[in-house]
Coordinates of all heavy atoms in Angstrom, one line a residue:
L25 N -7.5 14.8 -17.2 CA -7.4 13.4 -16.9 C -7.0 13.2 -15.4 O -6.1 13.7 -14.9 CB -6.3 12.8 -17.8 CG -6.4 13.0 -19.3 CD1 -5.2 12.4 -20.0 CD2 -7.7 12.3 -19.8
L26 N -7.9 12.4 -14.7 CA -7.7 12.2 -13.3 C -7.3 10.7 -13.0 O -8.0 9.8 -13.4 CB -9.0 12.5 -12.6 CG -9.6 13.9 -12.8 CD1 -10.9 14.1 -12.1 CD2 -8.5 15.0 -12.5
H27 N -6.2 10.6 -12.3 CA -5.6 9.3 -12.0 C -6.3 8.5 -10.9 O -7.2 9.0 -10.2 CB -4.1 9.4 -11.7 CG -3.8 10.1 -10.4 ND1 -3.9 9.5 -9.2 CD2 -3.4 11.4 -10.2 CE1 -3.6 10.4 -8.3 NE2 -3.3 11.6 -8.8
G28 N -5.9 7.3 -10.7 CA -6.4 6.4 -9.6 C -5.4 6.2 -8.5 O -4.4 6.8 -8.4
W29 N -5.9 5.3 -7.6 CA -5.0 4.8 -6.5 C -4.8 3.3 -6.8 O -5.8 2.6 -7.0 CB -5.7 5.0 -5.1 CG -4.8 4.6 -4.0 CD1 -3.9 5.4 -3.3 CD2 -4.5 3.2 -3.5 NE1 -3.2 4.6 -2.4 CE2 -3.6 3.3 -2.5 CE3 -5.0 2.0 -3.9 CZ2 -3.1 2.2 -1.8 CZ3 -4.6 0.9 -3.2 CH2 -3.6 1.0 -2.2
P30 N -3.6 2.8 -6.7 CA -2.4 3.5 -6.4 C -1.7 4.0 -7.7 O -1.2 3.2 -8.5 CB -1.5 2.4 -5.7 CG -2.0 1.1 -6.3 CD -3.4 1.3 -6.7
G31 N -1.7 5.3 -8.0 CA -1.1 5.8 -9.2 C -0.8 7.3 -9.0 O -0.8 7.8 -7.9
D32 N -0.6 7.9 -10.1 CA -0.4 9.4 -10.2 C -0.6 9.8 -11.6 O -1.1 9.1 -12.4 CB 1.0 9.8 -9.6 CG 2.2 9.4 -10.5 OD1 2.0 8.7 -11.5 OD2 3.3 9.9 -10.2
R33 N -0.2 11.1 -11.9 CA -0.5 11.6 -13.2 C 0.1 10.8 -14.4 O -0.3 10.8 -15.5 CB -0.1 13.1 -13.3 CG 1.4 13.3 -13.3 CD 1.7 14.8 -13.2 NE 3.1 15.1 -13.5 CZ 4.1 14.9 -12.6 NH1 3.8 14.4 -11.4 NH2 5.4 15.1 -12.9
T34 N 1.2 10.1 -14.1 CA 1.9 9.3 -15.1 C 1.1 8.1 -15.6 O 1.4 7.5 -16.6 CB 3.3 8.9 -14.7 OG1 3.2 7.9 -13.6 CG2 4.2 10.0 -14.2
D35 N 0.0 7.8 -14.9 CA -0.9 6.8 -15.4 C -1.4 7.0 -16.8 O -1.7 6.1 -17.5 CB -2.2 6.7 -14.5 CG -1.9 6.2 -13.1 OD1 -0.7 5.8 -12.8 OD2 -2.9 6.2 -12.3
Y36 N -1.3 8.3 -17.2 CA -1.9 8.7 -18.5 C -0.8 8.8 -19.6 O -1.0 9.4 -20.7 CB -2.7 9.9 -18.4 CG -4.0 9.7 -17.8 CD1 -4.2 9.9 -16.4 CD2 -5.1 9.1 -18.5 CE1 -5.4 9.6 -15.8 CE2 -6.3 8.8 -17.9 CZ -6.5 9.1 -16.5 OH -7.7 8.8 -15.9
R37 N 0.4 8.3 -19.4 CA 1.5 8.4 -20.3 C 1.2 7.9 -21.7 O 1.8 8.3 -22.7 CB 2.8 7.8 -19.7 CG 2.7 6.3 -19.4 CD 3.9 5.9 -18.6 NE 3.8 4.5 -18.1 CZ 3.2 4.2 -17.0 NH1 2.7 5.1 -16.2 NH2 3.2 2.9 -16.6
V51 N -3.2 17.1 -16.9 CA -3.1 15.9 -16.1 C -2.6 16.2 -14.7 O -1.3 16.3 -14.6 CB -2.3 14.8 -16.8 CG1 -2.5 13.4 -16.1 CG2 -2.5 14.7 -18.3
P52 N -3.4 16.4 -13.7 CA -2.9 16.8 -12.4 C -2.6 15.5 -11.5 O -3.1 14.4 -11.8 CB -4.1 17.5 -11.8 CG -5.3 16.9 -12.4 CD -4.9 16.5 -13.8
D53 N -1.8 15.8 -10.6 CA -1.7 14.9 -9.4 C -2.8 15.3 -8.4 O -2.9 16.5 -8.1 CB -0.3 15.0 -8.7 CG 0.8 14.2 -9.4 OD1 0.5 13.2 -10.0 OD2 1.9 14.7 -9.4
L54 N -3.6 14.4 -8.0 CA -4.6 14.8 -7.0 C -4.0 15.2 -5.7 O -2.8 14.9 -5.4 CB -5.6 13.6 -6.9 CG -6.3 13.2 -8.1 CD1 -7.0 11.9 -7.9 CD2 -7.3 14.3 -8.5
R55 N -4.8 15.8 -4.8 CA -4.3 16.1 -3.5 C -3.8 14.9 -2.8 O -4.4 13.8 -2.8 CB -5.5 16.6 -2.6 CG -6.0 18.0 -2.9 CD -7.0 18.4 -1.9 NE -7.7 19.6 -2.2 CZ -8.5 20.3 -1.4 NH1 -8.7 19.9 -0.2 NH2 -9.1 21.4 -1.8
G56 N -2.6 15.0 -2.2 CA -2.0 13.9 -1.5 C -1.2 13.0 -2.4 O -0.7 11.9 -1.9
F57 N -1.0 13.3 -3.7 CA -0.3 12.4 -4.6 C 0.8 13.1 -5.3 O 0.7 14.3 -5.6 CB -1.3 11.8 -5.6 CG -2.3 10.9 -5.0 CD1 -3.5 11.4 -4.5 CD2 -2.2 9.5 -5.0 CE1 -4.5 10.6 -4.0 CE2 -3.1 8.7 -4.5 CZ -4.3 9.2 -4.0
G58 N 1.8 12.4 -5.7 CA 2.8 12.9 -6.7 C 3.4 14.2 -6.2 O 3.9 14.3 -5.1
E59 N 3.3 15.2 -7.1 CA 4.0 16.5 -6.8 C 3.0 17.5 -6.1 O 3.4 18.6 -5.9 CB 4.5 17.1 -8.1 CG 5.5 16.3 -8.9 CD 6.7 16.0 -8.1 OE1 7.2 16.9 -7.3 OE2 7.3 14.9 -8.2
S60 N 1.8 17.0 -5.8 CA 0.8 17.9 -5.1 C 1.0 17.9 -3.6 O 1.7 17.0 -3.0 CB -0.6 17.4 -5.5 OG -0.8 17.6 -6.8
K62 N 0.7 17.5 0.3 CA 0.3 16.3 1.1 C 0.1 16.7 2.6 O 0.7 16.1 3.5 CB 1.3 15.2 1.0 CG 1.6 14.8 -0.4 CD 2.7 13.8 -0.5 CE 3.0 13.3 -1.9 NZ 3.5 14.4 -2.7
Q76 N -11.4 17.0 -3.2 CA -10.7 16.8 -4.5 C -11.3 17.5 -5.6 O -10.6 18.1 -6.5 CB -10.5 15.3 -4.7 CG -9.7 14.5 -3.7 CD -8.2 14.6 -3.9 OE1 -7.7 15.4 -4.7 NE2 -7.5 13.8 -3.2
Y97 N -10.4 7.2 -13.9 CA -10.6 5.8 -13.5 C -10.3 5.7 -12.1 O -9.7 6.6 -11.5 CB -9.7 4.9 -14.4 CG -8.3 4.7 -13.8 CD1 -8.0 3.5 -13.1 CD2 -7.3 5.6 -14.0 CE1 -6.8 3.4 -12.5 CE2 -6.1 5.4 -13.5 CZ -5.8 4.3 -12.8 OH -4.5 4.1 -12.2
D98 N -10.8 4.6 -11.4 CA -10.7 4.4 -10.0 C -11.1 5.7 -9.3 O -12.2 6.2 -9.5 CB -9.2 4.0 -9.7 CG -9.0 3.5 -8.3 OD1 -9.3 2.4 -8.1 OD2 -8.5 4.3 -7.5
I99 N -10.3 6.2 -8.3 CA -10.8 7.3 -7.5 C -10.9 8.6 -8.4 O -11.7 9.5 -8.2 CB -9.9 7.7 -6.3 CG1 -8.5 8.2 -6.7 CG2 -9.7 6.4 -5.4 CD1 -7.7 8.7 -5.5
G100 N -10.2 8.6 -9.5 CA -10.3 9.7 -10.5 C -11.7 9.7 -11.1 O -12.2 10.8 -11.5
H146 N -6.9 0.4 5.4 CA -6.4 1.7 5.3 C -6.9 2.6 6.4 O -6.4 3.7 6.6 CB -6.8 2.3 3.9 CG -6.0 1.8 2.8 ND1 -6.2 2.1 1.5 CD2 -4.9 1.0 2.8 CE1 -5.4 1.5 0.7 NE2 -4.5 0.8 1.5
L162 N 6.4 -1.2 0.7 CA 5.4 -0.6 -0.1 C 5.4 -1.1 -1.6 O 4.4 -1.3 -2.2 CB 5.7 0.9 -0.1 CG 4.7 1.8 -0.8 CD1 3.3 1.7 0.0 CD2 5.1 3.3 -0.7
L166 N 2.1 -2.3 -3.4 CA 1.6 -1.7 -4.7 C 1.6 -2.8 -5.8 O 0.7 -2.8 -6.6 CB 2.4 -0.5 -5.0 CG 2.4 0.7 -4.1 CD1 3.3 1.8 -4.6 CD2 1.0 1.1 -3.7
R167 N 2.6 -3.6 -5.8 CA 2.7 -4.6 -6.9 C 1.5 -5.5 -6.8 O 0.9 -6.0 -7.8 CB 4.0 -5.5 -6.8 CG 4.1 -6.5 -7.9 CD 5.3 -7.4 -7.7 NE 6.5 -6.8 -7.8 CZ 7.4 -6.6 -6.7 NH1 7.1 -7.1 -5.5 NH2 8.5 -6.0 -6.9
F169 N -1.6 -4.9 -6.0 CA -2.8 -4.3 -6.7 C -2.6 -4.2 -8.2 O -3.6 -4.5 -8.9 CB -3.1 -2.9 -6.1 CG -3.4 -2.9 -4.6 CD1 -2.5 -2.5 -3.7 CD2 -4.6 -3.5 -4.2 CE1 -2.8 -2.6 -2.3 CE2 -4.9 -3.6 -2.8 CZ -4.0 -3.1 -1.9
W170 N -1.5 -3.8 -8.6 CA -1.3 -3.7 -10.1 C -1.3 -5.0 -10.8 O -1.7 -5.1 -11.9 CB 0.1 -2.9 -10.4 CG -0.1 -1.4 -10.3 CD1 -0.1 -0.7 -9.2 CD2 -0.5 -0.6 -11.3 NE1 -0.3 0.6 -9.5 CE2 -0.6 0.7 -10.8 CE3 -0.7 -0.7 -12.7 CZ2 -0.9 1.8 -11.6 CZ3 -1.0 0.4 -13.5 CH2 -1.1 1.6 -12.9
W173 N -5.4 -6.5 -9.9 CA -6.6 -5.8 -10.5 C -6.5 -5.7 -12.0 O -7.5 -5.3 -12.7 CB -6.6 -4.4 -10.0 CG -7.0 -4.3 -8.5 CD1 -7.5 -5.3 -7.7 CD2 -7.0 -3.1 -7.7 NE1 -7.7 -4.8 -6.4 CE2 -7.5 -3.5 -6.4 CE3 -6.7 -1.8 -7.9 CZ2 -7.6 -2.5 -5.4 CZ3 -6.8 -0.8 -6.9 CH2 -7.2 -1.2 -5.6
A184 N 7.6 1.5 -14.1 CA 6.5 2.2 -13.6 C 6.3 2.0 -12.1 O 6.0 2.9 -11.3 CB 5.2 1.8 -14.4
L185 N 6.6 0.7 -11.7 CA 6.5 0.4 -10.3 C 7.6 1.1 -9.5 O 7.3 1.7 -8.4 CB 6.6 -1.1 -10.1 CG 6.4 -1.6 -8.6 CD1 5.1 -1.2 -8.0 CD2 6.6 -3.1 -8.5
H187 N 8.8 4.0 -10.3 CA 8.3 5.4 -10.1 C 7.3 5.5 -9.0 O 7.4 6.5 -8.2 CB 7.7 5.9 -11.5 CG 7.0 7.1 -11.3 ND1 7.6 8.4 -11.2 CD2 5.6 7.4 -11.3 CE1 6.7 9.3 -11.0 NE2 5.5 8.8 -11.1
L188 N 6.3 4.6 -9.0 CA 5.3 4.7 -7.9 C 5.9 4.6 -6.5 O 5.6 5.3 -5.6 CB 4.2 3.7 -8.1 CG 3.3 3.9 -9.3 CD1 2.3 2.8 -9.4 CD2 2.6 5.3 -9.2
V189 N 6.9 3.7 -6.4 CA 7.6 3.6 -5.1 C 8.3 4.9 -4.7 O 8.3 5.3 -3.6 CB 8.6 2.4 -5.1 CG1 9.4 2.4 -3.8 CG2 7.8 1.1 -5.2
S190 N 8.9 5.5 -5.8 CA 9.6 6.8 -5.5 C 8.7 7.9 -5.0 O 9.1 8.8 -4.3 CB 10.3 7.2 -6.8 OG 9.5 7.8 -7.7
V191 N 7.4 7.9 -5.5 CA 6.5 9.0 -5.1 C 5.6 8.6 -3.9 O 5.2 9.4 -3.1 CB 5.6 9.4 -6.2 CG1 6.5 10.1 -7.3 CG2 4.8 8.3 -6.8
Y192 N 5.4 7.3 -3.7 CA 4.6 6.8 -2.5 C 5.5 6.5 -1.3 O 5.1 6.4 -0.2 CB 3.8 5.6 -2.8 CG 2.5 5.8 -3.5 CD1 2.5 6.3 -4.8 CD2 1.3 5.5 -2.9 CE1 1.3 6.5 -5.5 CE2 0.1 5.7 -3.6 CZ 0.1 6.2 -4.9 OH -1.1 6.4 -5.6
G193 N 6.8 6.4 -1.5 CA 7.7 5.9 -0.5 C 8.2 6.9 0.5 O 8.5 6.5 1.7
A197 N 4.0 10.2 2.5 CA 3.3 10.1 1.2 C 2.2 9.0 1.1 O 1.1 9.3 0.6 CB 4.4 9.9 0.1
F198 N 2.5 7.9 1.6 CA 1.5 6.8 1.6 C 0.3 7.2 2.4 O -0.8 7.0 2.0 CB 2.1 5.5 2.1 CG 1.1 4.4 2.2 CD1 0.5 3.8 1.1 CD2 0.6 4.0 3.5 CE1 -0.4 2.8 1.3 CE2 -0.4 3.1 3.6 CZ -0.9 2.4 2.5
A200 N -0.8 10.2 3.1 CA -1.6 11.2 2.4 C -2.4 10.5 1.3 O -3.6 10.8 1.1 CB -0.7 12.2 1.7
S201 N -1.9 9.5 0.6 CA -2.6 8.8 -0.5 C -3.8 8.1 0.0 O -4.8 8.0 -0.7 CB -1.7 7.9 -1.2 OG -1.6 6.6 -0.6
I202 N -3.8 7.6 1.2 CA -5.0 6.9 1.7 C -5.9 7.8 2.5 O -6.9 7.3 3.1 CB -4.6 5.7 2.6 CG1 -3.8 6.1 3.8 CG2 -3.8 4.7 1.8 CD1 -3.5 4.9 4.8
Y205 N -9.5 7.2 1.5 CA -10.3 6.1 2.2 C -10.6 6.5 3.6 O -11.8 6.2 4.0 CB -9.5 4.8 2.1 CG -9.1 4.4 0.7 CD1 -7.9 4.6 0.2 CD2 -10.1 3.8 -0.1 CE1 -7.6 4.3 -1.1 CE2 -9.9 3.5 -1.4 CZ -8.6 3.7 -1.9 OH -8.3 3.4 -3.2
H267 N -8.7 -3.4 -14.5 CA -9.0 -2.1 -13.8 C -8.3 -0.9 -14.3 O -8.8 0.2 -14.3 CB -8.7 -2.3 -12.3 CG -9.0 -1.2 -11.4 ND1 -10.3 -0.9 -11.1 CD2 -8.3 -0.3 -10.8 CE1 -10.4 0.1 -10.2 NE2 -9.1 0.6 -10.1
F268 N -7.1 -1.0 -14.8 CA -6.2 0.1 -15.1 C -6.4 0.7 -16.5 O -5.6 0.5 -17.4 CB -4.7 -0.3 -14.8 CG -4.5 -0.6 -13.4 CD1 -4.4 -1.9 -13.0 CD2 -4.4 0.4 -12.4 CE1 -4.2 -2.3 -11.6 CE2 -4.2 0.1 -11.1 CZ -4.1 -1.2 -10.7
P270 N -6.3 3.5 -18.4 CA -5.4 4.3 -19.3 C -4.1 3.5 -19.7 O -3.5 3.9 -20.7 CB -5.0 5.5 -18.5 CG -5.2 5.1 -17.0 CD -6.3 4.1 -17.1
L271 N -3.8 2.4 -19.0 CA -2.6 1.6 -19.4 C -3.0 0.3 -20.1 O -2.3 -0.2 -20.9 CB -1.8 1.4 -18.2 CG -1.1 2.6 -17.6 CD1 -0.5 2.3 -16.3 CD2 0.0 3.1 -18.6

Side-chain angles (χ1 to χ4, degrees):
L25 304 175
L26 303 181
H27 66 80
W29 185 96
D32 70 353
R33 70 186 190 282
T34 65
D35 292 354
Y36 287 98
R37 58 190 174 272
V51 194
D53 283 324
L54 298 168
R55 291 187 186 189
F57 295 86
E59 302 299 324
S60 296
K62 304 174 179 66
Q76 294 278 10
Y97 86 100
D98 191 79
I99 71 171
H146 286 171
L162 191 61
L166 299 183
R167 183 189 292 115
F169 297 106
W170 278 86
W173 290 353
L185 183 60
H187 167 74
L188 288 180
V189 172
S190 77
V191 293
Y192 279 67
F198 173 75
S201 84
I202 62 174
Y205 301 102
H267 185 74
F268 296 100
L271 291 169

